[in-house]
Amino acid sequence: MTLPVEATFPEVTLMDVRAAAERIYGAVERTPSHWSRTLSKIAGCDVHLKFENLQFTASFKERGALNKLLSLSPAERKRGVAAMSAGNHAQGVAYHAGRLGIPATIVMPEGTPFNKVKHTKDFGARVILDGTTLNQCFERARDIARAEHLSFIHPYDDPIVIAGQGTVALELLADAPELDTLVVPIGGGGLISGIAVTAKAQLYPSMYDALKGETLPCAGQTIAEGIAVKEPGAIARRIVAALVKDVLLVREEEIERAVANLLEIEKTVVEGAGAAAFAAVVANPDIFRGRKVGIVLSGGNIDMRLLSNVILRELSREGRILSVVVEIEDRPGLLARIATLVGEAGGNILEVSHNRMITDMPAKSADLGLVIEARDAAHAGEIRNCLEAAGFSLRAA
């Protein structure tokens, strides 16, 4: 594939991306991509997934990090490198720096998920937790790099890093040349910039603001911390403005649903940022209907407790988890009676709580909290009806 002359950039070219592919060949996974029958049916378009969550560090970030590390001179390698990251870039730099014998110092936000911090340390990097935002981490990492004469590896605003990330598109388009649309999660813009040098794509408010002239707030908690970047890279903004057709936003619950769908249907673990592109496709059926869409699952580093919470929340949204409070007399045998009714209705009790300390109820009364697993929303309704038919009063938990 060749780019039109007006779509080329001096910072990153298709030749740079191809050179990066040769440079990192054999040291990063040539991740699989395949068409998903079930997800295609859900989304209303042909969905082809690119499984970057199957990299050794579970993220595409390895590609750009390694390309940058391999570009350093022997003297620069000996002195070492510094970087800032919310997690995936940190692991990519730490793993390949350790493999190449290059000392690495990584500054990470204080709220970075524990698993990402642990893995980065396990790869041999010196980890410094400082600041609550990437901008604060950036300043600390640059200060350390200057003071210790280290080479700074930016996670997205570096042409060598961007070229490395672009190798994702080379592989995906080689596997599925019939694709007419690529959907890519956007944080700082490194991945989409590299991919856009070879194709087209899409997603966090910062890049949306930059393209659309909007000022949507980039703040608050998000499951997609990997793309929670307040200001995209300067190089990325120029490339995206020229090559990317549109940028879409998705809500938190849509990302959570995408994480759960990918786990249940594709049996693959994807973090919030990694699921954002699929969430955008499902949330915008009119845009993608009938298209052949390549979706990059950019990473799979999600904290297990968070993943468990996402699963339970999605099951609750789908009606497969029923949370109710049953008002009961505080006497022996009632709990067993209720458990029998739920079992006879085909439900599975996941959690029970017994509260006798409600002062506005008679002393011989209690609240019995139940979390019940059902097949679907209709089945949950049947379980509720069964309990009410037996004379029990229910209210939402």
Side-chain angles (χ1 to χ4, degrees):
M1 175 181 290
T2 58
L3 293 174
V5 174
E6 65 272 19
T8 60
F9 296 85
E11 302 97 332
V12 186
T13 67
L14 186 58
M15 185 178 298
D16 294 328
V17 176
R18 288 174 172 160
E22 293 181 8
R23 192 176 296 120
I24 68 177
Y25 178 79
V28 299
E29 292 293 326
R30 203 290 188 192
T31 57
S33 54
H34 75 78
W35 173 69
S36 173
R37 181 188 304 273
T38 303
L39 296 184
S40 295
K41 183 177 180 180
I42 291 173
C45 59
D46 279 347
V47 171
H48 297 255
L49 302 174
K50 177 62 170 168
F51 290 87
E52 283 299 290
N53 59 321
L54 298 182
Q55 290 290 350
F56 180 72
T57 63
S59 169
F60 75 94
K61 291 283 191 177
E62 281 190 41
R63 297 172 181 268
L66 178 57
N67 197 39
K68 180 66 175 181
L69 288 167
L70 293 175
S71 74
L72 300 178
S73 69
E76 289 172 326
R77 294 190 187 193
K78 184 176 181 180
R79 286 194 298 269
V81 299
M84 54 76 168
S85 169
N88 288 337
H89 179 63
Q91 292 177 75
V93 171
Y95 169 60
H96 286 289
R99 190 176 59 79
L100 297 170
I102 302 173
T105 297
I106 315 291
V107 181
M108 307 177 78
E110 294 170 355
T112 300
F114 172 76
N115 66 317
K116 294 185 178 183
V117 176
K118 180 180 183 300
H119 292 161
T120 304
K121 289 182 177 179
D122 288 347
F123 290 136
R126 175 176 58 150
V127 175
I128 298 173
L129 297 177
D130 188 13
T132 58
T133 67
L134 279 179
N135 284 342
Q136 292 172 342
C137 292
F138 173 79
E139 295 300 327
R140 180 66 190 280
R142 289 305 296 260
D143 289 344
I144 292 173
R146 292 190 187 101
E148 300 181 16
H149 306 289
L150 308 177
S151 297
F152 184 73
I153 303 183
H154 200 288
Y156 48 84
D157 201 22
D158 183 307
I160 299 175
V161 170
I162 290 173
Q165 319 303 29
T167 60
V168 172
L170 292 181
E171 295 176 7
L172 178 56
L173 294 173
D175 290 343
E178 71 276 17
L179 296 177
D180 53 43
T181 306
L182 297 186
V183 187
V184 184
I186 296 180
L191 177 62
I192 197 170
S193 298
I195 287 178
V197 167
T198 327
K200 291 184 179 180
Q202 304 161 312
L203 227 166
Y204 205 74
S206 55
M207 187 62 77
Y208 183 89
D209 293 349
L211 285 181
K212 308 261 181 154
E214 301 286 348
T215 55
L216 298 178
C218 295
Q221 293 298 313
T222 175
I223 186 179
E225 76 283 339
I227 56 174
V229 178
K230 289 192 175 182
E231 185 175 350
I235 299 173
R237 288 177 63 155
R238 289 194 294 274
I239 294 175
V240 169
L243 298 182
V244 174
K245 181 177 181 180
D246 202 357
V247 176
L248 305 178
L249 303 181
V250 291
R251 299 191 303 272
E252 282 291 302
E253 62 267 27
E254 292 168 339
I255 296 177
E256 290 182 22
R257 183 171 298 113
V259 170
N261 283 341
L262 288 162
L263 179 61
E264 183 172 29
I265 296 169
E266 291 297 322
K267 312 304 183 226
T268 192
V269 176
V270 180
E271 63 189 87
F278 177 63
V281 172
V282 175
N284 295 275
D286 291 341
I287 294 177
F288 298 101
R289 185 173 292 111
R291 290 183 174 273
K292 300 183 185 300
V293 183
I295 297 175
V296 179
L297 305 180
S298 59
N301 287 306
I302 185 169
D303 182 81
M304 294 303 291
R305 290 172 297 178
L306 178 58
L307 178 60
S308 175
N309 191 32
V310 168
I311 294 170
L312 290 175
R313 285 162 61 91
E314 186 57 27
L315 290 174
S316 181
R317 289 190 187 102
E318 294 177 1
R320 293 157 67 182
I321 296 290
L322 173 65
S323 297
V324 295
V325 175
V326 186
E327 297 179 12
I328 62 171
E329 296 179 47
D330 191 11
R331 60 181 176 82
L334 277 185
L335 176 57
R337 170 66 176 147
I338 291 171
T340 299
L341 288 171
V342 171
E344 289 175 347
N348 180 35
I349 298 177
L350 301 177
E351 186 176 316
V352 176
S353 61
H354 204 198
N355 188 357
R356 297 182 176 88
M357 305 303 292
I358 302 176
T359 57
D360 61 351
M361 292 179 62
K364 290 187 177 181
S365 297
D367 270 358
L368 182 66
L370 297 175
V371 179
I372 304 169
E373 182 182 17
R375 292 188 298 272
D376 50 34
H379 184 216
E382 292 172 8
I383 296 172
R384 176 185 284 274
N385 293 338
C386 180
L387 290 171
E388 291 176 338
F392 293 104
S393 176
L394 278 65
R395 67 176 187 272

